[in-house]
Amino acid sequence: MTWTETYDRARSQVDAAAGYYNHNIRVEVESGPVIVRIPIHGADVMDLRLWREEDLLPAIAPYVIQAPRLLFLNKDPAFQIHQFIPGDVLNDIAPRGTACPPHVPDDVARLLRQLADVPRDKLPPIPADWPADGDSAGFGRRLAGITQWIYDTFVDEYRPLFDRFGIPDDPLTALDRMWPTLTSRPFVCVHADVHRKNIIVDDGTSVFLDWELALWGDPVYDLAVHLHKMTYLPAEETVLLDHWQAAMPAEYLARWEPDLDGYLGHERIKSSIVDTIRYAQLFVAGGPYPYPEEDMIRSMAGKLNAARPRWGMTAPIGLDDVRAGFADWVASHRSHS
């Protein structure tokens, strides 16, 4: 079977696992299973993008042992064939609110160290206007610029829901004074999307998937994204931070704690905006849901309550308020369809 035939077989399957940007379909070929990765056309871009995944994976392969290998790339139609990684998706065996296998925090720390060791000249090119190596403030502003663009793009349509959930008219202003305070540290390749659905665990090891959001930037940002999306139990987070400090060279650790808090502030504000939009779209469409509907309500309330202190808000939003907000949004939009 050729790779094109493999793609055709993948297209015929309806049980594809989908993220926000790609379908991932397991297909059996003569040599064993592979993953066919097909872009979702028309997906709303809600993240800063720098490289194409098919360019990055071969570049990091000699340095990062915990990533799948790219086996084949096709331009038209667009698809990739990835090495199949056996094991369990971490979220399936340890969803949010439960303990991860003990090896996971150490595996994450090891991954982040491996990424720091990838030479810049081995990575794909970056645009001329990308922040210079060590310009953490410029990198932070670049992140915030995309989040502001998302807000500006969707605010007119989603303003009633933003108002209902307490998202202010100027949600990024709270970060303006923080960016100049970020410490200059050497840039590295950052995955920027390590979470429970992107980790495969098997026999005491972890492999990290979905590299389409990788960036050239501050390693503390990678740590912040991971902590924000992973929602470790408190003891696990302590272990991860200890292992990360032990793994990373000294030049990456200067003033990492206040900078981590700053990047976490951005991620929490971004999630409150992006997930309000994404969850509302899913509820109106009636799925497919990444989690049970009630788990999504609970998750959305958690994201909003994590962001509210950054806006000077002390009172939390309740589950009933979030549930009612989405229910009213769905009712109003379905009545006009």
Side-chain angles (χ1 to χ4, degrees):
M1 183 166 52
T2 67
W3 288 131
T4 300
E5 291 170 332
T6 304
Y7 166 77
D8 290 338
R9 181 179 294 184
R11 292 272 296 172
S12 70
Q13 297 183 20
V14 297
D15 59 345
Y20 289 112
Y21 300 118
N22 293 279
H23 291 291
N24 301 289
I25 306 100
R26 173 178 170 166
V27 176
E28 294 289 338
V29 299
E30 291 82 354
S31 58
V34 296
I35 295 295
V36 183
R37 195 155 160 81
I38 304 173
I40 299 174
H41 296 293
D44 290 322
V45 175
M46 300 280 194
D47 298 282
L48 182 59
R49 309 291 290 269
L50 176 60
W51 294 310
R52 292 180 303 201
E53 186 178 37
E54 60 265 30
D55 295 332
L56 180 71
L57 285 176
I60 66 172
Y63 308 95
V64 179
I65 62 174
Q66 300 164 273
R69 298 310 184 233
L70 178 68
L71 303 178
F72 181 76
L73 170 67
N74 201 73
K75 297 288 189 181
D76 187 18
F79 68 91
Q80 304 171 44
I81 307 291
H82 284 199
Q83 171 193 14
F84 173 75
I85 306 298
D88 298 302
V89 177
L90 178 60
N91 191 70
D92 292 343
I93 63 171
R96 284 180 289 185
T98 64
C100 298
H103 63 86
V104 169
D106 193 44
D107 292 343
V108 172
R110 186 179 301 111
L111 169 72
L112 300 184
R113 173 54 196 266
Q114 289 173 4
L115 287 172
D117 289 338
V118 179
R120 170 67 194 92
D121 61 0
K122 301 299 183 182
L123 292 165
I126 57 176
D129 64 347
W130 193 258
D133 187 16
D135 182 10
S136 300
F139 178 69
R141 291 190 186 98
R142 190 73 171 240
L143 297 169
I146 294 297
T147 304
Q148 185 67 55
W149 176 83
I150 294 166
Y151 177 83
D152 293 342
T153 299
F154 289 93
V155 64
D156 287 346
E157 180 179 359
Y158 287 90
R159 186 181 298 278
L161 200 52
F162 287 172
D163 290 345
R164 184 87 176 251
F165 288 169
I167 298 173
D169 292 337
D170 53 352
L172 277 299
T173 301
L175 303 174
D176 288 347
R177 287 181 293 179
M178 183 270 295
W179 298 127
T181 70
L182 292 179
T183 302
S184 174
R185 60 179 60 83
F187 281 7
V188 304
C189 178
V190 301
H191 182 289
D193 200 26
V194 178
H195 57 76
R196 292 173 193 257
K197 285 195 168 185
N198 284 346
I199 302 175
I200 300 288
V201 295
D202 183 54
D203 194 26
T205 62
S206 305
V207 176
F208 301 91
L209 311 178
D210 292 3
W211 290 79
E212 70 263 28
L213 302 185
L215 302 169
W216 177 248
D218 188 342
V220 176
Y221 172 68
D222 218 3
L223 182 64
V225 175
H226 175 61
L227 291 177
H228 170 68
K229 294 186 175 183
M230 195 72 170
T231 56
Y232 283 115
L233 299 179
E236 292 176 310
E237 181 169 320
T238 298
V239 170
L240 182 278
L241 291 174
D242 288 345
H243 287 191
W244 179 81
Q245 290 178 78
M248 299 298 286
E251 60 264 30
Y252 299 113
L253 299 176
R255 295 190 73 254
W256 69 270
E257 289 174 289
D259 290 357
L260 175 66
D261 182 69
Y263 284 125
L264 280 170
H266 172 264
E267 292 307 296
R268 288 166 177 165
I269 290 172
K270 177 186 174 185
S271 281
S272 71
I273 298 167
V274 168
D275 289 320
T276 293
I277 298 166
R278 281 178 167 164
Y279 287 15
Q281 291 172 341
L282 287 171
F283 284 133
V284 169
Y289 301 123
Y291 307 102
E293 293 179 57
E294 191 60 25
D295 287 353
M296 292 176 64
I297 298 297
R298 189 175 298 107
S299 172
M300 191 70 244
K303 293 172 188 291
L304 291 166
N305 285 326
R308 287 165 80 86
R310 306 286 173 158
W311 298 321
M313 301 176 184
T314 56
I317 188 169
L319 291 177
D320 289 343
D321 296 324
V322 175
R323 189 182 299 108
F326 279 131
D328 290 348
W329 180 262
V330 169
S332 67
H333 281 70
R334 288 183 178 171
S335 66
H336 293 103
S337 61

